[in-house]
Amino acid sequence: MVGSSHEAMHRIFQKDPALLTRALQQVLQIPFPEPHDFAGMNVDLTEIEPIERRVDTLLRAETDEGAYLLVVESQGKPDERKRGSWPYYLSYLYEKYRCEPVLIVVTQNSATARWAAEPIHLGVRGCPSLTVRPFVLGPDNVPVIAKASEAERDVPLAVLSAMTHGRGRQAPAILESLAAALRTIDRDSAAVFVQFVDSCLADTQARKMWRNMMTAIQYFWRHPLAEEVREEGREEGRAEALAETILRILRVRDIDVPDDVRARVEACRDLDQLIRWSERAVHAARADDLFALD
């Protein structure tokens, strides 16, 4: 079970290594060659000396141009020690494997992203012997995927979008679009992605909304996170949770909910109907729009 956003932000690339290639090519506009094979590698870079050095995720990508070592570091906040350890990682990996190392930093914080993107110069000021330029994925360049059609085209990228942007006014549309897209892939992969997103939602309302959505479509039930959801396995509990999510989506979007609309939503026990209303809630201009097509 993923227990923190730090773990989720880099382990998603272990789940789908090709997502990292797409992020380099499409998000960062880096002409990275198309890999035809990936392999996970030992993240322990410790030498004989008692200095522990571990990267978060290390992948070997085989391309027609040769092998690359993709070093993924999840960064929650600036840490000046990294400006010494990151060059060490790259030099050590190149010396050991004679493959080109690539450093990718992932973060949910814009300020941290700007810090991480600063080049690291070692040596004489103005004429460094070594310069490291990390590639950074964060809120300023990871795309906001808030349409179900876009999420379905690239579910792992939609997951990364939710992990990076799942807060504030845009959260309902992002999470609802991802929830729809998860229905199009196999349930085991969906359950893993659900956990990644849950671990990264620091906003209390967004996390509760997400858990209610996932309870309604039963992804949490196949997963350790199910222990945190009340009344699992009961249809009535799922309906209540989804009704609460619909009303919360409207509230987060600053849409006034009249008493009659609230009463109708809370009284409904038809899960299919509630799911339709939840999809409409993301785009509705007024609360009454929930029922426009019924």
Side-chain angles (χ1 to χ4, degrees):
M1 176 177 176
V2 179
S4 69
S5 60
H6 174 93
E7 289 296 304
M9 288 298 290
H10 70 88
R11 282 177 56 182
I12 185 175
F13 299 112
Q14 297 176 16
K15 169 64 178 173
D16 188 342
L19 171 63
L20 192 55
T21 301
R22 295 196 298 279
L24 288 170
Q25 296 170 340
Q26 300 171 21
V27 178
L28 298 177
Q29 302 296 308
I30 295 169
F32 191 82
E34 194 67 36
H36 48 73
D37 190 30
F38 287 97
M41 300 184 68
N42 188 347
V43 298
D44 191 343
L45 307 187
T46 305
E47 297 186 87
I48 296 175
E49 292 82 358
I51 301 177
E52 184 175 305
R53 303 284 191 182
R54 293 178 185 272
V55 299
D56 288 331
T57 286
L58 179 60
L59 300 168
R60 181 184 177 109
E62 299 290 345
T63 78
D64 291 339
E65 298 179 9
Y68 287 84
L69 300 178
L70 305 179
V71 183
V72 184
E73 285 280 278
S74 175
Q75 200 67 29
K77 61 183 179 180
D79 181 355
E80 289 303 314
R81 292 176 300 178
K82 294 293 186 178
R83 306 188 74 78
S85 58
W86 285 343
Y88 169 86
Y89 295 164
L90 301 184
S91 299
Y92 176 88
L93 288 169
Y94 181 77
E95 174 62 23
K96 182 173 182 178
Y97 296 105
R98 291 295 169 176
C99 297
E100 298 296 340
V102 180
L103 174 63
I104 303 101
V105 180
V106 291
T107 181
Q108 296 173 284
N109 183 275
S110 293
T112 301
R114 290 191 294 272
W115 166 83
E118 295 175 1
I120 301 169
H121 302 295
L122 301 180
V124 178
R125 183 170 299 181
C127 189
S129 298
L130 175 65
T131 297
V132 174
R133 301 180 185 275
F135 299 135
V136 182
L137 294 170
D140 296 331
N141 56 16
V142 171
V144 174
I145 299 179
K147 295 182 179 179
S149 57
E150 295 178 1
E152 290 173 9
R153 282 198 293 270
D154 193 336
V155 176
L157 185 59
V159 173
L160 183 61
S161 176
M163 292 163 63
T164 306
H165 301 288
R167 63 183 66 191
R169 293 177 59 85
Q170 58 194 351
I174 293 173
L175 298 178
E176 183 67 30
S177 298
L178 178 57
L182 288 174
R183 299 187 184 102
T184 67
I185 65 175
D186 68 276
R187 292 187 65 85
D188 289 337
S189 293
V192 174
F193 288 144
V194 165
Q195 186 185 12
F196 286 157
V197 174
D198 185 89
S199 297
C200 290
L201 293 177
D203 182 272
T204 302
Q205 282 197 328
R207 175 176 283 191
K208 188 170 184 181
M209 181 189 306
W210 177 245
R211 291 185 175 187
N212 287 340
M213 289 179 185
M214 296 301 99
T215 302
I217 54 180
Q218 303 182 11
Y219 282 129
F220 273 89
W221 293 5
R222 298 165 59 88
H223 199 276
L225 286 173
E227 298 174 2
E228 302 179 32
V229 181
R230 295 180 58 191
E231 298 182 3
E232 64 183 28
R234 294 179 54 190
E235 183 171 328
E236 181 177 355
R238 298 199 301 274
E240 291 175 354
L242 189 51
E244 182 180 349
T245 294
I246 294 169
L247 297 174
R248 183 174 293 107
I249 290 173
L250 295 175
R251 184 165 62 252
V252 170
R253 296 186 61 226
D254 293 331
I255 294 177
D256 183 61
V257 181
D259 290 341
D260 61 329
V261 172
R262 179 181 300 278
R264 183 173 175 181
V265 171
E266 291 178 340
C268 182
R269 290 297 177 268
D270 184 335
L271 289 178
D272 291 336
Q273 180 67 76
L274 287 167
I275 290 172
R276 287 193 292 272
W277 288 347
S278 70
E279 293 169 349
R280 295 172 192 169
V282 175
H283 306 289
R286 302 180 308 151
D288 288 341
D289 291 348
L290 293 180
F291 318 127
L293 301 178
D294 295 341

